[in-house]
Amino acid sequence: MNIMEFFACHPKAALAFSGGVDSAYLLHAAKQYAREVCAYYVKSEFQPQFELEDAERLARELGVPLRILDLQVLSVPGVKENPANRCYYCKKAIFDRIIAAAKSDGFPVVLDGTNASDSAADRPGMRALTELSVLSPLRECGLTKPEIRRLSQVAGLFTWDKPAYACLATRIPCGEELTRDKLAATETAEDYLRSLGFSDFRVRSQNGHALLQLPESQFAKLAEHRGAVLAKLKKYYNSVSLDLEVRG
């Protein structure tokens, strides 16, 4: 089955839209081949502002309606405690919210952007998708991440080379309680590094300590901005260090 055939079978669909590479391409394909599509973005403490802005921009450029749904994810049982399977509880809450909204809007099926490169072993949230009967067209059609990037570039989507991005909660070790303050510190720190021109990086939080993970090619750039980075991040963390095992 190819993506055109998928939408011939599912001509009216709701799409869980994150603003990332995969769901962006899926939204583009749905705009082309589906009879009717609506994108749903769930805004929570785990999503940084730039992701919402990217989602809004792409939906606007494609001319697809976008509904923004609020979710107090730290209030979801099993999330704040940050267990190893936190992603399952979070994903289930997100899709419960989307499914309810989509049903109210008259959409019989909900789609997500899981692709053929994604391993179920690496994404515990995929269990929630299966339980809720969410369909993953990119995975079903055998589209891998490199192919999705290539097709996105051909389609002129600005997301084609967007770095992979995991939610803010992934910066905090399993077992360490999630709080709004910790998540806000992570977002502020990463926004600052992004403003300096860094890309494809993470600011990990470990009991009040910041661990920077950067591609090796950006180590020299970090050295140039060392003073400014320390001054900014030490407003939110007790100490700041660089993970030398990260290679890029």
Side-chain angles (χ1 to χ4, degrees):
M1 176 184 291
N2 61 36
I3 202 73
M4 183 186 303
E5 292 168 339
F6 176 89
F7 283 111
C9 296
H10 304 283
K12 184 174 181 179
L15 194 156
F17 187 42
S18 68
V21 177
D22 299 326
S23 62
Y25 177 72
L26 183 57
L27 189 62
H28 163 75
K31 173 65 174 179
Q32 280 190 306
Y33 303 123
R35 185 177 74 246
E36 184 179 357
V37 63
C38 182
Y40 294 79
Y41 181 96
V42 177
K43 182 180 179 181
S44 78
E45 300 94 329
F46 288 178
Q47 274 65 50
Q49 180 64 25
F50 82 85
E51 289 278 61
L52 173 57
E53 293 170 356
D54 282 356
E56 290 176 323
R57 175 185 168 186
L58 191 70
R60 185 170 58 249
E61 291 180 358
L62 293 177
V64 174
L66 173 66
R67 282 197 62 186
I68 299 170
L69 309 174
D70 289 316
L71 175 66
Q72 301 300 313
V73 72
L74 292 179
S75 298
V76 174
V79 171
K80 181 176 68 174
E81 297 80 9
N82 199 17
N85 62 342
R86 178 206 67 244
C87 189
Y88 167 78
Y89 298 109
C90 179
K91 189 76 75 175
K92 188 173 187 304
I94 287 172
F95 278 88
D96 278 341
R97 185 81 176 85
I98 292 173
I99 289 168
K103 183 177 180 180
S104 176
D105 293 340
F107 289 94
V109 63
V110 173
L111 317 177
D112 95 304
T114 301
N115 66 59
S117 300
D118 292 325
S119 167
D122 298 332
R123 297 184 58 169
M126 287 174 66
R127 174 185 153 203
L129 302 182
T130 299
E131 291 177 357
L132 296 171
S133 299
V134 174
L135 301 183
S136 302
L138 302 177
R139 187 178 181 86
E140 290 185 29
C141 295
L143 290 172
T144 62
K145 177 72 83 173
E147 180 67 0
I148 291 165
R149 288 192 183 278
R150 185 190 70 79
L151 291 170
S152 296
Q153 184 177 22
V154 171
L157 304 181
F158 74 87
T159 52
W160 77 270
D161 62 346
K162 185 175 179 178
Y165 188 86
C167 81
L168 295 170
T170 63
R171 313 297 193 267
I172 299 168
C174 290
E176 182 179 332
E177 184 178 352
L178 300 173
T179 67
R180 286 180 174 82
D181 286 346
K182 291 176 184 177
L183 296 167
T186 300
E187 181 174 5
T188 300
E190 294 193 348
D191 280 348
Y192 181 68
L193 290 180
R194 198 173 293 108
S195 75
L196 294 177
F198 291 96
S199 61
D200 199 19
F201 64 88
R202 299 287 185 266
V203 179
R204 304 286 182 188
S205 174
Q206 299 180 333
N207 295 311
H209 167 80
L211 181 66
L212 309 187
Q213 295 182 331
L214 301 168
E216 188 174 4
S217 60
Q218 297 180 40
F219 285 4
K221 183 179 182 68
L222 180 64
E224 293 175 12
H225 294 280
R226 175 180 175 276
V229 169
L230 282 174
K232 181 68 173 182
L233 269 60
K234 289 194 74 173
K235 294 179 181 178
Y236 309 98
Y237 300 95
N238 296 325
S239 62
V240 181
S241 62
L242 174 64
D243 185 351
L244 293 176
E245 294 188 2
V246 173
R247 294 292 181 264

